[in-house]
């Protein structure tokens, strides 16, 4: 396992981090299975565990908390808030009113008195940067969080938040957590140049592109991944974007074979090769999934392999741009672009 400095914090983190979204109902993962995954991850050198309050409505945090009991100090523990936790309109967002409550709820579920990294799950257009940053700064000063970061923010919002922190003399986001894979390279165009400019640590999610790069999805095979059961549109091969992904996967498989690598090694080695990326979040649903992904921990891709990947999916290209999570609201809601 390689270790890297998380932005400018001085904290050393593993190049692979354990994402706990599959813990609980989403991944049908029991406590015993979650604990086994955490045990194996720590044994394999991973020292970062990332979860969120919204994952299985808090169940993921509860499973993580029980799994790390007695060894909290050896783990860089991260969670997130902002996504709806109920039908109540104020049980979501990035307001002071909600974040203070959401953090207390997360700490209770995790069974800890602080988290190392508290992340705003999505940009909230209804809340000012000053409101959110002042709240996070107060929670940091109270000792409930050590650092805070953003997740899936558009590049211009990352910049705006940095300037708001400076203008109002507040602590700033020190990390960003964007989606990034060989098949979704759009962050190379705007987000990664910005995070590098501001010295942010970057924890990328979905490096296996929701299973497309796991090796399980190939031409002529029935798609039976867990993700395909509740997101069928993302794997429907009658959709042009999905056909394009499958065609890229077939070409990438040849590159991996010629390099003596698994598809997982190729995919994780690619994202961790970018100088702007600190860690890649892996989200195993079983211990077997984890071990297959840990095998990529020391993978270093040669320049020839990286060039071959560039020839298949051009730098800065998203093969499924409609699946982006950082699209400006005005592109999705016509009323926001008309007077």
């Amino acid at each position: 396992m390689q270790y890297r400095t998380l932005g400018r914090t001085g904290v050393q983190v593993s190049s692979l981090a354990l994402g706990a979204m599959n813990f609980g109902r989403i991944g049908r993962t029991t406590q015993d299975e979650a604990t086994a995954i955490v045990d194996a991850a720590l044994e394999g050198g991973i020292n970062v565990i990332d979860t969120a309050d919204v994952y299985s409505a808090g169940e993921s945090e509860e499973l993580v908390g029980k799994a790390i009991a007695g060894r909290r100090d050896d783990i860089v523990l991260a969670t997130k808030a902002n996504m709806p936790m109920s039908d109540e309109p104020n049980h979501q967002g990035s307001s002071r009113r909600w974040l203070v409550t959401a953090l207390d709820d997360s700490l209770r579920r995790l069974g800890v008195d602080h988290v190392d990294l508290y992340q705003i799950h999505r940009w909230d257009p209804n809340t000012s940067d000053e409101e959110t940053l002042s709240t996070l700064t107060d929670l940091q000063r109270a000792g409930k969080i050590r650092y805070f970061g953003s997740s899936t923010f558009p590049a211009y919002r990352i910049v705006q938040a940095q300037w708001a922190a400076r203008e109002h003399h507040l602590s700033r986001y020190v990390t960003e957590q964007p989606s990034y894979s060989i098949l979704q390279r759009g962050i190379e165009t705007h987000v990664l140049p910005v995070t590098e400019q501001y010295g942010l640590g970057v924890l990328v999610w979905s490096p296996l592109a929701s299973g497309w790069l796991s090796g399980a999805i190939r031409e002529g095979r029935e798609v039976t991944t867990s993700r395909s059961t509740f997101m069928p549109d993302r794997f429907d091969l009658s959709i042009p974007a999905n056909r394009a992904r499958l065609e890229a996967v077939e070409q990438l498989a040849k590159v991996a074979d010629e390099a003596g690598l698994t598809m997982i090694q190729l995919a994780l080695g690619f994202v961790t090769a970018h100088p702007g990326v600190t860690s890649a979040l892996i989200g195993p649903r079983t211990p077997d999934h984890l071990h297959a992904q840990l095998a990529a921990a020391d993978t270093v891709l040669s320049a020839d392999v990286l060039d071959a990947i560039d020839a298949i999916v051009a730098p800065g290209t998203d093969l499924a741009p409609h699946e982006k999570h950082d699209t400006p609201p005005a592109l999705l809601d016509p009323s926001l672009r008309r007077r």
Side-chain angles (χ1 to χ4, degrees), residues 4-338:
R4 298 163 176 183
T5 305
L6 184 64
R8 295 173 181 165
T9 67
V11 177
Q12 299 300 300
V13 296
S14 47
S15 59
L16 297 182
L18 179 62
M21 189 180 77
N22 278 321
F23 288 9
R25 291 191 297 277
I26 292 177
R28 304 184 301 280
T29 307
T30 66
Q31 181 65 66
D32 287 345
E33 291 169 329
T35 300
I37 290 171
V38 169
D39 289 345
L42 298 180
E43 184 177 346
I46 287 176
N47 72 344
V48 179
I49 299 178
D50 176 86
T51 183
D53 58 1
V54 75
Y55 295 162
S56 295
E59 189 180 4
S60 173
E61 289 182 324
E62 292 175 353
L63 297 182
V64 167
K66 292 175 182 176
I68 66 173
R71 47 190 174 180
R72 165 69 182 90
D73 292 343
D74 298 329
I75 295 163
V76 178
L77 181 60
T79 193
K80 300 183 283 292
N82 164 274
M83 305 288 271
M85 291 296 287
S86 76
D87 293 333
E88 163 59 43
N90 285 314
H91 289 183
Q92 62 183 296
S94 303
S95 69
R96 176 178 292 271
R97 184 181 190 276
W98 176 239
L99 289 180
V100 170
T101 298
L103 177 58
D104 284 343
D105 289 345
S106 288
L107 294 177
R108 172 179 50 78
R109 287 189 290 261
L110 288 163
V112 298
D113 61 4
H114 75 279
V115 293
D116 297 296
L117 180 62
Y118 197 49
Q119 300 156 106
I120 302 302
H121 213 150
R122 296 288 187 272
W123 169 56
D124 177 6
N126 298 313
T127 307
S128 70
D129 289 312
E130 182 184 3
E131 165 86 0
T132 302
L133 291 169
S134 66
T135 303
L136 294 170
T137 299
D138 288 345
L139 293 172
Q140 184 181 52
R141 290 171 178 167
K144 293 184 176 183
I145 60 179
R146 296 294 185 257
Y147 306 98
F148 52 86
S150 57
S151 176
T152 322
F153 275 32
Y156 75 98
R157 295 309 315 177
I158 297 173
V159 174
Q160 182 61 33
Q162 294 290 315
W163 277 96
R166 179 180 298 184
E167 180 179 0
H168 299 289
H169 306 287
L170 299 167
S171 295
R172 68 186 187 99
Y173 294 126
V174 299
T175 61
E176 162 61 14
Q177 188 178 131
S179 171
Y180 184 43
S181 72
I182 294 175
L183 304 182
Q184 294 286 87
R185 301 183 61 173
I187 68 166
E188 295 172 346
T189 303
H190 300 296
V191 171
L192 288 179
V194 166
T195 57
E196 289 184 277
Q197 176 69 33
Y198 285 99
L200 273 63
V202 175
L203 310 170
V204 299
W205 57 271
S206 201
L208 299 183
S210 297
W212 279 97
L213 298 173
S214 67
I217 301 175
R218 296 293 302 276
E219 186 72 67
R221 294 184 192 171
E222 182 182 0
V223 180
T224 59
T225 62
S226 174
R227 193 65 61 89
S228 68
T229 61
F230 61 92
M231 291 181 171
D233 288 351
R234 294 197 176 191
F235 301 89
D236 181 350
L237 296 181
S238 68
I239 296 174
N242 294 336
R243 285 300 313 173
R245 281 193 279 206
L246 184 59
E247 290 168 6
V249 165
E250 290 300 310
Q251 296 178 66
L252 291 166
K254 294 178 182 178
V255 173
D257 287 343
E258 292 173 0
L261 301 169
T262 65
M263 283 290 285
I264 289 175
Q265 288 175 313
L266 186 77
L268 295 179
F270 168 80
V271 296
T272 56
H274 196 292
V277 172
T278 311
S279 300
L281 285 159
I282 56 175
R285 195 169 54 82
T286 68
D288 286 344
H289 291 167
L290 173 67
H291 290 302
Q293 293 167 34
L294 281 175
D298 58 356
T299 299
V300 178
L301 302 185
S302 68
D304 288 346
V305 170
L306 292 171
D307 288 343
I309 292 172
D310 286 349
I312 297 168
V313 181
T317 300
D318 288 316
L319 293 189
H322 60 288
E323 293 178 7
K324 296 289 287 181
H325 295 267
D326 60 356
T327 304
L331 296 185
L332 303 175
D333 182 354
S335 69
L336 297 178
R337 56 179 188 266
R338 298 171 184 170

